[in-house]
Amino acid sequence: MENSKELRTWLDDLQLPHPLVIAGPCSAETEDQVLQIANELKDSDVSYYRAGIWKPRTRPGNFEGVGAIGLKWLQKVKEETGLKTATEVANRTHVDLALEHDIDLLWIGARSTVSPFIVQEIADALKGTDKVVLVKNPVNPDLSLWLGAVERLSKANIKKLGVIHRGFSTYQKTKYRNIPEWQLAIELQTKFPDLPLINDPSHITGKRELVFDISQTALDLNFDGLMIETHTDPDNAWSDAAQQVTPTSLKQMFKDLKMRKETDEAAEYNAQLANLRAQIDVLDNELIDLLGKRMKVSDGIGELKKKRNVAVLQTNRWNSILGNMILEGEQRGLSEEFVLRMFKAIHQESINHQEKIINA
Ligand code: PEP
Ligand code: MN
């Protein structure tokens, strides 16, 4: 798949004065619930109304969706409110039924994107459709797997494509349900700047209190839209209760979020930006230069250890470097998390250098 302006035609054609908004409940529960939420979302910034009909649940025994009957409720939403409709599809039968009920946007869920067999089956079933198809990132942070799914759809001649960043599962305890790993989304955006990129703060955070901040970060990073789970009675939702927001708070969020422009033509802004970027370029070169020098010194230590047959890893020395650098970093406004990550990477590179020398 190549980057081309055509990738974003479907989005540009909507002529929205703001980012694309997809909102609605995690799951369709009853006809009344689906219609009530939709009615509260009409005449807002929401373009597409989402509701899961078939729910991929991690453990059996949880609510697994109402099934095909929910598609009729979504059709009613479109008739009554004019909102376009969206749902998740995970196999050929889902696709056939969704197309039969004229659902406007179909997305592939994070648990399906991991499986090339499933993605291929969905792509074959969708062949040539003019519906919008969005691919959620796979649960594991693997950019090729994510792009591979988009490519399968593109090869099936589906033109209205996009991706949804919903975070990645992790064994570590973090404040998020799925860690954002923004770098991955940024890398995807760099490779395919015209492929519409939507953020899903609901599944990243897992908590409604954190949804606003993640949405703002996404807009700051130039995302094209947001998909936010919305429910009139979130605490009693049949799935993902903790992360859904009410239509009222969704509308307030869109008043409070700062929308960013992609760029600005003003000469003064561009001159200042060019100057600051030149400074960054100089500093980045100095950083690389310093790191190269540091590794040369590390090579020297490797030679010395080799002569004396001493182990590469010296835990005490490493702990004392880390402790010092966290303190030094703090005084310069660098977070502990950043200093730790950076020095772990530097230390690993140092170990690799010394290993090479010792085993030569
Ligand atoms: C959903 O959007 O409700 C959903 C199941 O999402 P994900 O595939 O990101 O887990
Ligand atoms: Mn959900």
Side-chain angles (χ1 to χ4, degrees):
M1 192 179 63
E2 286 194 10
N3 184 62
S4 88
K5 284 264 174 252
E6 245 182 53
L7 281 171
R8 52 179 308 113
T9 311
W10 69 268
L11 185 57
D12 293 340
D13 285 350
L14 294 174
Q15 297 196 322
L16 299 172
H18 50 70
L20 176 74
V21 187
I22 306 169
C26 176
S27 303
E29 298 164 6
T30 65
E31 181 170 348
D32 281 352
Q33 171 249 15
V34 167
L35 286 169
Q36 191 193 4
I37 301 169
N39 272 299
E40 293 206 23
L41 292 177
K42 78 171 180 209
D43 307 323
S44 69
D45 288 345
V46 177
S47 299
Y48 285 90
Y49 184 75
R50 66 151 281 158
I53 302 296
W54 302 282
K55 299 302 299 177
R57 305 312 300 271
T58 305
R59 310 276 300 266
N62 290 324
F63 172 60
E64 298 203 316
V66 292
I69 179 93
L71 295 169
K72 295 224 168 14
W73 307 341
L74 283 177
Q75 277 185 304
K76 260 202 178 158
V77 165
K78 190 154 37 175
E79 275 162 37
E80 275 190 23
T81 66
L83 287 166
K84 292 190 274 291
T85 52
T87 202
E88 173 176 349
V89 288
N91 60 37
R92 176 180 286 279
T93 314
H94 295 169
V95 170
D96 292 345
L97 284 165
L99 294 179
E100 231 171 74
H101 290 81
D102 202 26
I103 301 297
D104 302 291
L105 180 157
L106 299 91
W107 81 82
I108 299 185
R111 292 163 195 76
S112 303
T113 310
V114 291
S115 164
F117 287 137
I118 286 290
V119 173
Q120 192 59 54
E121 177 179 321
I122 296 172
D124 291 342
L126 281 166
K127 206 158 244 162
T129 183
D130 68 342
K131 304 289 184 188
V132 177
V133 183
L134 304 181
V135 182
K136 285 204 174 194
N137 66 254
V139 284
N140 54 324
D142 183 335
L143 188 56
S144 335
L145 197 55
W146 194 3
L147 281 171
V150 181
E151 266 161 15
R152 285 178 198 277
L153 294 164
S154 170
K155 277 189 197 304
N157 212 15
I158 294 155
K159 304 274 186 230
K160 299 181 180 171
L161 286 170
V163 287
I164 304 175
H165 169 230
R166 53 77 82 194
F168 303 90
S169 76
T170 170
Y171 181 64
Q172 290 161 18
K173 279 258 161 289
T174 78
K175 65 175 176 174
Y176 300 119
R177 179 177 175 194
N178 292 291
I179 50 173
E181 303 280 18
W182 293 104
Q183 281 305 326
L184 241 111
I186 292 169
E187 199 179 324
L188 185 139
Q189 208 178 14
T190 313
K191 281 193 173 135
F192 294 97
D194 293 311
L195 181 64
L197 172 61
I198 316 290
N199 183 260
D200 171 350
S202 309
H203 290 91
I204 290 179
T205 61
K207 294 182 198 75
R208 68 180 68 90
E209 310 82 72
L210 301 177
V211 166
F212 181 87
D213 283 352
I214 290 287
S215 304
Q216 186 63 66
T217 304
L219 296 183
D220 295 346
L221 293 175
N222 226 357
F223 276 58
D224 298 290
L226 296 167
M227 166 142 129
I228 301 181
E229 286 189 340
T230 312
H231 196 293
T232 37
D233 184 9
D235 284 334
N236 292 307
W238 296 4
S239 58
D240 288 353
Q243 71 194 32
Q244 306 204 53
V245 300
T246 62
T248 312
S249 49
L250 184 83
K251 287 181 215 168
Q252 188 58 45
M253 254 181 65
F254 277 93
K255 286 200 186 110
D256 297 340
L257 281 169
K258 292 189 184 66
M259 307 293 163
R260 315 286 190 197
K261 297 178 279 187
E262 197 162 337
T263 181
D264 190 302
E265 298 304 320
E268 191 192 325
Y269 158 79
N270 280 299
Q272 283 177 9
L273 189 66
N275 177 291
L276 292 168
R277 283 183 171 162
Q279 293 182 41
I280 292 271
D281 288 348
V282 170
L283 290 168
D284 281 348
N285 275 311
E286 284 178 14
L287 274 176
I288 283 288
D289 194 47
L290 269 178
L291 287 170
K293 284 186 183 144
R294 192 189 188 282
M295 290 309 150
K296 286 241 155 54
V297 175
S298 181
D299 287 348
I301 294 181
E303 300 285 0
L304 210 57
K305 285 180 182 164
K306 181 177 176 148
K307 271 195 205 127
R308 298 279 165 184
N309 202 24
V310 171
V312 165
L313 181 63
Q314 299 288 322
T315 330
N316 288 346
R317 164 77 179 144
W318 167 232
N319 281 336
S320 100
I321 293 186
L322 263 190
N324 285 339
M325 288 303 110
I326 287 171
L327 288 177
E328 293 286 337
E330 211 170 60
Q331 287 166 19
R332 291 164 179 80
L334 304 174
S335 73
E336 179 172 335
E337 189 203 346
F338 169 68
V339 173
L340 270 175
R341 267 183 186 243
M342 182 176 66
F343 271 92
K344 277 186 184 161
I346 292 175
H347 187 228
Q348 185 60 56
E349 182 70 6
S350 225
I351 289 177
N352 295 349
H353 271 244
Q354 294 190 16
E355 279 282 312
K356 217 166 157 186
I357 289 171
I358 271 195
N359 294 316

